[in-house]
mmCIF file of all heavy atoms in Angstrom:
data_model
loop_
_atom_site.group_PDB
_atom_site.id
_atom_site.type_symbol
_atom_site.label_atom_id
_atom_site.label_comp_id
_atom_site.label_asym_id
_atom_site.label_seq_id
_atom_site.Cartn_x
_atom_site.Cartn_y
_atom_site.Cartn_z
ATOM 1 N N LEU V 119 8.441 -0.499 -19.208
ATOM 2 C CA LEU V 119 8.575 -1.300 -17.989
ATOM 3 C C LEU V 119 9.733 -2.301 -18.060
ATOM 4 O O LEU V 119 9.910 -3.116 -17.168
ATOM 5 C CB LEU V 119 7.264 -2.035 -17.693
ATOM 6 C CG LEU V 119 6.105 -1.143 -17.271
ATOM 7 C CD1 LEU V 119 4.790 -1.921 -17.263
ATOM 8 C CD2 LEU V 119 6.376 -0.528 -15.905
ATOM 9 N N GLY V 120 10.517 -2.252 -19.124
ATOM 10 C CA GLY V 120 11.698 -3.105 -19.230
ATOM 11 C C GLY V 120 11.560 -4.314 -20.114
ATOM 12 O O GLY V 120 12.464 -5.142 -20.176
ATOM 13 N N GLY V 121 10.457 -4.442 -20.809
ATOM 14 C CA GLY V 121 10.260 -5.586 -21.689
ATOM 15 C C GLY V 121 10.854 -5.358 -23.071
ATOM 16 O O GLY V 121 10.717 -4.288 -23.638
ATOM 17 N N GLU V 122 11.539 -6.372 -23.575
ATOM 18 C CA GLU V 122 12.034 -6.347 -24.950
ATOM 19 C C GLU V 122 11.030 -7.131 -25.785
ATOM 20 O O GLU V 122 10.782 -8.300 -25.512
ATOM 21 C CB GLU V 122 13.416 -6.981 -25.025
ATOM 22 C CG GLU V 122 14.476 -6.204 -24.263
ATOM 23 C CD GLU V 122 15.829 -6.889 -24.293
ATOM 24 O OE1 GLU V 122 16.115 -7.633 -25.254
ATOM 25 O OE2 GLU V 122 16.583 -6.679 -23.331
ATOM 26 N N VAL V 123 10.483 -6.483 -26.791
ATOM 27 C CA VAL V 123 9.372 -7.053 -27.563
ATOM 28 C C VAL V 123 9.855 -7.607 -28.895
ATOM 29 O O VAL V 123 10.608 -6.949 -29.612
ATOM 30 C CB VAL V 123 8.290 -5.984 -27.821
ATOM 31 C CG1 VAL V 123 7.113 -6.575 -28.586
ATOM 32 C CG2 VAL V 123 7.828 -5.343 -26.518
ATOM 33 N N SER V 124 9.414 -8.805 -29.207
ATOM 34 C CA SER V 124 9.621 -9.392 -30.525
ATOM 35 C C SER V 124 8.360 -10.183 -30.882
ATOM 36 O O SER V 124 7.464 -10.323 -30.057
ATOM 37 C CB SER V 124 10.866 -10.288 -30.546
ATOM 38 O OG SER V 124 10.736 -11.351 -29.630
ATOM 39 N N TRP V 125 8.306 -10.671 -32.085
ATOM 40 C CA TRP V 125 7.157 -11.483 -32.486
ATOM 41 C C TRP V 125 7.605 -12.477 -33.554
ATOM 42 O O TRP V 125 8.630 -12.300 -34.204
ATOM 43 C CB TRP V 125 6.018 -10.609 -33.018
ATOM 44 C CG TRP V 125 6.279 -10.106 -34.398
ATOM 45 C CD1 TRP V 125 6.997 -9.001 -34.741
ATOM 46 C CD2 TRP V 125 5.864 -10.718 -35.620
ATOM 47 N NE1 TRP V 125 7.057 -8.883 -36.096
ATOM 48 C CE2 TRP V 125 6.374 -9.926 -36.667
ATOM 49 C CE3 TRP V 125 5.130 -11.859 -35.921
ATOM 50 C CZ2 TRP V 125 6.144 -10.234 -37.994
ATOM 51 C CZ3 TRP V 125 4.915 -12.170 -37.247
ATOM 52 C CH2 TRP V 125 5.411 -11.357 -38.269
ATOM 53 N N PHE V 126 6.825 -13.523 -33.703
ATOM 54 C CA PHE V 126 7.063 -14.497 -34.764
ATOM 55 C C PHE V 126 5.744 -15.180 -35.105
ATOM 56 O O PHE V 126 4.851 -15.277 -34.263
ATOM 57 C CB PHE V 126 8.147 -15.522 -34.371
ATOM 58 C CG PHE V 126 7.943 -16.176 -33.033
ATOM 59 C CD1 PHE V 126 7.222 -17.352 -32.908
ATOM 60 C CD2 PHE V 126 8.483 -15.601 -31.881
ATOM 61 C CE1 PHE V 126 7.036 -17.956 -31.668
ATOM 62 C CE2 PHE V 126 8.311 -16.200 -30.642
ATOM 63 C CZ PHE V 126 7.586 -17.381 -30.533
ATOM 64 N N PRO V 127 5.614 -15.645 -36.355
ATOM 65 C CA PRO V 127 4.379 -16.333 -36.746
ATOM 66 C C PRO V 127 4.316 -17.720 -36.099
ATOM 67 O O PRO V 127 5.343 -18.328 -35.806
ATOM 68 C CB PRO V 127 4.492 -16.445 -38.269
ATOM 69 C CG PRO V 127 5.943 -16.307 -38.570
ATOM 70 C CD PRO V 127 6.554 -15.509 -37.470
ATOM 71 N N THR V 128 3.100 -18.198 -35.884
ATOM 72 C CA THR V 128 2.933 -19.549 -35.367
ATOM 73 C C THR V 128 3.334 -20.547 -36.455
ATOM 74 O O THR V 128 3.429 -20.190 -37.638
ATOM 75 C CB THR V 128 1.467 -19.810 -34.948
ATOM 76 O OG1 THR V 128 0.624 -19.594 -36.083
ATOM 77 C CG2 THR V 128 1.045 -18.912 -33.796
ATOM 78 N N GLU V 129 3.578 -21.788 -36.058
ATOM 79 C CA GLU V 129 3.990 -22.816 -37.025
ATOM 80 C C GLU V 129 2.975 -22.978 -38.151
ATOM 81 O O GLU V 129 3.343 -23.207 -39.295
ATOM 82 C CB GLU V 129 4.212 -24.146 -36.310
ATOM 83 C CG GLU V 129 5.463 -24.160 -35.469
ATOM 84 C CD GLU V 129 5.697 -25.526 -34.830
ATOM 85 O OE1 GLU V 129 5.196 -26.541 -35.345
ATOM 86 O OE2 GLU V 129 6.403 -25.550 -33.809
ATOM 87 N N SER V 130 1.697 -22.856 -37.820
ATOM 88 C CA SER V 130 0.656 -23.014 -38.839
ATOM 89 C C SER V 130 0.584 -21.809 -39.778
ATOM 90 O O SER V 130 0.016 -21.912 -40.861
ATOM 91 C CB SER V 130 -0.702 -23.198 -38.166
ATOM 92 O OG SER V 130 -1.079 -21.986 -37.512
ATOM 93 N N GLY V 131 1.155 -20.680 -39.350
ATOM 94 C CA GLY V 131 1.076 -19.471 -40.151
ATOM 95 C C GLY V 131 -0.240 -18.728 -39.996
ATOM 96 O O GLY V 131 -0.460 -17.698 -40.617
ATOM 97 N N ASN V 132 -1.119 -19.263 -39.167
ATOM 98 C CA ASN V 132 -2.443 -18.662 -38.974
ATOM 99 C C ASN V 132 -2.522 -17.775 -37.741
ATOM 100 O O ASN V 132 -3.610 -17.408 -37.325
ATOM 101 C CB ASN V 132 -3.510 -19.751 -38.872
ATOM 102 C CG ASN V 132 -3.634 -20.521 -40.163
ATOM 103 O OD1 ASN V 132 -3.451 -19.962 -41.238
ATOM 104 N ND2 ASN V 132 -3.914 -21.801 -40.071
ATOM 105 N N GLY V 133 -1.405 -17.448 -37.151
ATOM 106 C CA GLY V 133 -1.411 -16.615 -35.952
ATOM 107 C C GLY V 133 -0.020 -16.087 -35.684
ATOM 108 O O GLY V 133 0.887 -16.222 -36.515
ATOM 109 N N LYS V 134 0.144 -15.477 -34.528
ATOM 110 C CA LYS V 134 1.450 -14.931 -34.159
ATOM 111 C C LYS V 134 1.645 -15.059 -32.655
ATOM 112 O O LYS V 134 0.693 -15.201 -31.894
ATOM 113 C CB LYS V 134 1.580 -13.473 -34.584
ATOM 114 C CG LYS V 134 0.689 -12.539 -33.782
ATOM 115 C CD LYS V 134 0.829 -11.121 -34.248
ATOM 116 C CE LYS V 134 -0.241 -10.224 -33.668
ATOM 117 N NZ LYS V 134 -1.618 -10.606 -33.895
ATOM 118 N N THR V 135 2.909 -14.977 -32.258
ATOM 119 C CA THR V 135 3.259 -14.932 -30.847
ATOM 120 C C THR V 135 4.022 -13.638 -30.600
ATOM 121 O O THR V 135 4.979 -13.335 -31.307
ATOM 122 C CB THR V 135 4.144 -16.134 -30.455
ATOM 123 O OG1 THR V 135 3.380 -17.333 -30.642
ATOM 124 C CG2 THR V 135 4.588 -16.040 -29.006
ATOM 125 N N ILE V 136 3.554 -12.882 -29.629
ATOM 126 C CA ILE V 136 4.279 -11.715 -29.155
ATOM 127 C C ILE V 136 5.123 -12.220 -27.994
ATOM 128 O O ILE V 136 4.596 -12.824 -27.065
ATOM 129 C CB ILE V 136 3.321 -10.604 -28.664
ATOM 130 C CG1 ILE V 136 2.367 -10.160 -29.769
ATOM 131 C CG2 ILE V 136 4.118 -9.431 -28.088
ATOM 132 C CD1 ILE V 136 3.009 -9.437 -30.911
ATOM 133 N N ARG V 137 6.429 -12.000 -28.059
ATOM 134 C CA ARG V 137 7.341 -12.452 -26.997
ATOM 135 C C ARG V 137 7.925 -11.229 -26.293
ATOM 136 O O ARG V 137 8.455 -10.325 -26.935
ATOM 137 C CB ARG V 137 8.462 -13.307 -27.548
ATOM 138 C CG ARG V 137 9.510 -13.633 -26.478
ATOM 139 C CD ARG V 137 10.477 -14.679 -26.925
ATOM 140 N NE ARG V 137 9.790 -15.963 -26.797
ATOM 141 C CZ ARG V 137 10.273 -17.104 -27.252
ATOM 142 N NH1 ARG V 137 11.425 -17.142 -27.886
ATOM 143 N NH2 ARG V 137 9.592 -18.228 -27.096
ATOM 144 N N ILE V 138 7.812 -11.241 -24.992
ATOM 145 C CA ILE V 138 8.400 -10.195 -24.164
ATOM 146 C C ILE V 138 9.491 -10.850 -23.327
ATOM 147 O O ILE V 138 9.243 -11.854 -22.655
ATOM 148 C CB ILE V 138 7.366 -9.564 -23.205
ATOM 149 C CG1 ILE V 138 6.060 -9.200 -23.924
ATOM 150 C CG2 ILE V 138 7.979 -8.392 -22.457
ATOM 151 C CD1 ILE V 138 6.170 -8.176 -24.986
ATOM 152 N N GLN V 139 10.668 -10.283 -23.382
ATOM 153 C CA GLN V 139 11.792 -10.775 -22.582
ATOM 154 C C GLN V 139 12.072 -9.738 -21.498
ATOM 155 O O GLN V 139 12.215 -8.558 -21.783
ATOM 156 C CB GLN V 139 13.020 -10.958 -23.461
ATOM 157 C CG GLN V 139 14.233 -11.450 -22.724
ATOM 158 C CD GLN V 139 15.432 -11.609 -23.656
ATOM 159 O OE1 GLN V 139 15.347 -11.374 -24.858
ATOM 160 N NE2 GLN V 139 16.544 -11.992 -23.088
ATOM 161 N N MET V 140 12.124 -10.211 -20.245
ATOM 162 C CA MET V 140 12.423 -9.323 -19.125
ATOM 163 C C MET V 140 13.596 -9.890 -18.347
ATOM 164 O O MET V 140 13.648 -11.084 -18.077
ATOM 165 C CB MET V 140 11.200 -9.148 -18.228
ATOM 166 C CG MET V 140 10.047 -8.479 -18.964
ATOM 167 S SD MET V 140 8.662 -8.044 -17.904
ATOM 168 C CE MET V 140 9.319 -6.577 -17.108
ATOM 169 N N ARG V 141 14.516 -9.030 -18.017
ATOM 170 C CA ARG V 141 15.722 -9.434 -17.295
ATOM 171 C C ARG V 141 15.473 -9.407 -15.791
ATOM 172 O O ARG V 141 14.671 -8.614 -15.310
ATOM 173 C CB ARG V 141 16.872 -8.514 -17.649
ATOM 174 C CG ARG V 141 17.127 -8.483 -19.148
ATOM 175 C CD ARG V 141 18.525 -8.103 -19.499
ATOM 176 N NE ARG V 141 18.770 -7.898 -20.918
ATOM 177 C CZ ARG V 141 18.632 -8.765 -21.880
ATOM 178 N NH1 ARG V 141 18.177 -9.945 -21.631
ATOM 179 N NH2 ARG V 141 18.915 -8.483 -23.132
ATOM 180 N N PRO V 142 16.209 -10.246 -15.053
ATOM 181 C CA PRO V 142 16.058 -10.226 -13.590
ATOM 182 C C PRO V 142 16.666 -8.946 -13.019
ATOM 183 O O PRO V 142 17.443 -8.262 -13.687
ATOM 184 C CB PRO V 142 16.843 -11.457 -13.134
ATOM 185 C CG PRO V 142 17.836 -11.690 -14.215
ATOM 186 C CD PRO V 142 17.178 -11.237 -15.490
ATOM 187 N N CYS V 143 16.304 -8.646 -11.792
ATOM 188 C CA CYS V 143 16.832 -7.458 -11.116
ATOM 189 C C CYS V 143 18.283 -7.687 -10.730
ATOM 190 O O CYS V 143 18.691 -8.810 -10.433
ATOM 191 C CB CYS V 143 16.046 -7.167 -9.840
ATOM 192 S SG CYS V 143 14.332 -6.746 -10.143
ATOM 193 N N VAL V 144 19.030 -6.605 -10.735
ATOM 194 C CA VAL V 144 20.400 -6.668 -10.246
ATOM 195 C C VAL V 144 20.331 -6.550 -8.730
ATOM 196 O O VAL V 144 19.751 -5.609 -8.194
ATOM 197 C CB VAL V 144 21.243 -5.504 -10.832
ATOM 198 C CG1 VAL V 144 22.626 -5.501 -10.238
ATOM 199 C CG2 VAL V 144 21.285 -5.604 -12.342
ATOM 200 N N VAL V 145 20.884 -7.534 -8.059
ATOM 201 C CA VAL V 145 20.872 -7.517 -6.604
ATOM 202 C C VAL V 145 22.093 -6.745 -6.133
ATOM 203 O O VAL V 145 23.223 -7.126 -6.414
ATOM 204 C CB VAL V 145 20.874 -8.953 -6.025
ATOM 205 C CG1 VAL V 145 20.892 -8.913 -4.516
ATOM 206 C CG2 VAL V 145 19.683 -9.726 -6.552
ATOM 207 N N ARG V 146 21.822 -5.647 -5.467
ATOM 208 C CA ARG V 146 22.914 -4.827 -4.956
ATOM 209 C C ARG V 146 23.090 -5.113 -3.471
ATOM 210 O O ARG V 146 22.102 -5.217 -2.743
ATOM 211 C CB ARG V 146 22.605 -3.357 -5.174
ATOM 212 C CG ARG V 146 22.548 -3.014 -6.640
ATOM 213 C CD ARG V 146 22.446 -1.510 -6.849
ATOM 214 N NE ARG V 146 22.585 -1.208 -8.240
ATOM 215 C CZ ARG V 146 21.564 -1.002 -9.061
ATOM 216 N NH1 ARG V 146 20.351 -1.059 -8.623
ATOM 217 N NH2 ARG V 146 21.786 -0.737 -10.328
ATOM 218 N N PRO V 147 24.335 -5.215 -3.029
ATOM 219 C CA PRO V 147 24.535 -5.461 -1.606
ATOM 220 C C PRO V 147 24.025 -4.285 -0.795
ATOM 221 O O PRO V 147 24.143 -3.134 -1.186
ATOM 222 C CB PRO V 147 26.053 -5.615 -1.478
ATOM 223 C CG PRO V 147 26.629 -5.072 -2.729
ATOM 224 C CD PRO V 147 25.558 -5.088 -3.780
ATOM 225 N N THR V 148 23.426 -4.606 0.320
ATOM 226 C CA THR V 148 22.922 -3.570 1.221
ATOM 227 C C THR V 148 24.086 -3.043 2.044
ATOM 228 O O THR V 148 24.799 -3.820 2.694
ATOM 229 C CB THR V 148 21.849 -4.160 2.159
ATOM 230 O OG1 THR V 148 20.847 -4.791 1.350
ATOM 231 C CG2 THR V 148 21.229 -3.090 3.015
#
């Protein structure tokens, strides 16, 4: 669906964060 997936541990080291980056749509002239 267009998501770029990465992850990193939480500061405490007791968990993780899954990060999804999604880009905006390209607006094409009508």
